[in-house]
Amino acid sequence: MATPTRPPIAPPIGSVAPSALPAALQPSGEQIVVLYVIIAFAVVIFGFWNVPGVRNCINPLKLFTIGFHELCHMAAAILSGGRILKITIDPHVGGATIVEGGRPVFILASGYIGSTLLGALFTLAGWDTLVAKVMSFVLGVGLIMPLALVRDKLTILLTVLYEGLLIGFWFIDHGGALRWYCLFIGVMNILFVIWDVADDRFFHKTNDSDATQFAILFPSTSPHQWATFWILFQLGVLAAFSVLGIMVFKV
């Protein structure tokens, strides 16, 4: 009589637990580094933007950031039928665009929205060298334009230095170094509301932040509420474009 035998046992399946994220959203090792660098840049920029003395070192980059922010206000004013009375672009007192007429909400919101979208494009450049090369031309022109309003010799000298770095980075790692330069500019622009509110809150700059202006326009809300709203908006856009970078620029 045949001895009963146990049914064959299937070979064990790999014990690696399935990832909670779809494959398209799983960052590679280099992409994880980019995410960490974004956080590090945010901390560094906050320090450079707010620490007295040190903050002068990034004046050209601040002028680029503030200048584009005010340019968005200007464009919105013109598009909504307003008239521009005065423009201030200064790394120490902030920016201001005084307009007459137009649609106040549209004009005011355009500043933070414009800064966020420009920052998003520069942040996306942090994921791919080709995008960084394209955005480097935007930065090259953008650093020079505010010099028409600048008479400070240190700021002019630093602008030449930052332009030189921009050119030099084209020849480092086949232009790969431009990614980090553009990523730094991207974080500076996409989180502009944080620096704007910090200037207003801690340094009492001459020109109010847009969050304060929103509170004046809508008296039932406070500047802190508007600041929170715009910070969440910008963080959401930063997260969205980081996910887009991970999905599109797999390495």
Side-chain angles (χ1 to χ4, degrees):
M1 181 176 178
T3 304
T5 59
R6 297 175 61 185
I9 300 175
I13 301 175
S15 58
V16 179
S19 172
L21 293 174
L25 295 179
Q26 293 180 23
S28 64
E30 184 175 344
Q31 289 178 329
I32 292 176
V33 172
V34 175
L35 294 174
Y36 282 125
V37 170
I38 288 174
I39 298 172
F41 278 169
V43 175
V44 170
I45 293 169
F46 184 83
F48 271 86
W49 196 285
N50 293 290
V51 177
V54 178
R55 59 199 310 223
N56 295 331
C57 296
I58 61 168
N59 275 353
L61 305 183
K62 291 176 69 174
L63 283 172
F64 172 77
T65 302
I66 295 170
F68 185 81
H69 179 86
E70 299 306 323
L71 180 63
C72 292
H73 286 314
M74 293 166 52
I78 294 172
L79 289 174
S80 62
R83 186 166 66 94
I84 300 169
L85 302 179
K86 182 181 178 182
I87 303 168
T88 300
I89 301 175
D90 190 285
H92 304 296
V93 301
T97 300
I98 310 301
V99 302
E100 182 181 69
R103 298 180 180 274
V105 177
F106 175 58
I107 296 171
L108 196 53
S110 65
Y112 284 153
I113 293 175
S115 294
T116 304
L117 294 179
L118 178 69
L121 292 176
F122 272 102
T123 301
L124 200 61
W127 303 91
D128 182 71
T129 301
L130 179 58
V131 180
K133 288 181 177 180
V134 173
M135 295 306 297
S136 70
F137 288 101
V138 178
L139 179 58
V141 175
L143 285 173
I144 294 175
M145 291 181 65
L147 290 182
L149 305 174
V150 174
R151 297 297 178 265
D152 178 56
K153 293 181 179 179
L154 176 60
T155 300
I156 295 173
L157 179 62
L158 288 172
T159 300
V160 174
L161 174 62
Y162 282 117
E163 287 282 11
L165 286 174
L166 187 64
I167 296 171
F169 283 171
W170 268 82
F171 303 97
I172 299 177
D173 191 24
H174 303 287
L178 288 171
R179 290 173 49 201
W180 309 112
Y181 198 153
C182 288
L183 185 60
F184 188 87
I185 300 299
V187 174
M188 183 177 287
N189 280 269
I190 202 170
L191 298 180
F192 176 75
V193 62
I194 296 178
W195 333 131
D196 193 35
V197 171
D199 266 344
D200 196 2
R201 177 68 178 82
F202 300 116
F203 295 97
H204 307 290
K205 64 180 182 179
T206 304
N207 298 321
D208 294 331
S209 68
D210 285 0
T212 299
Q213 290 297 316
F214 268 109
I216 295 173
L217 197 60
F218 300 98
S220 60
T221 55
S222 70
H224 293 88
Q225 290 174 317
W226 282 109
T228 300
F229 168 78
W230 285 110
I231 288 173
L232 292 176
F233 167 74
Q234 293 191 328
L235 288 175
V237 174
L238 176 58
F241 272 77
S242 295
V243 171
L244 181 62
I246 291 172
M247 294 177 63
V248 175
F249 303 113
K250 282 291 184 183
V251 292

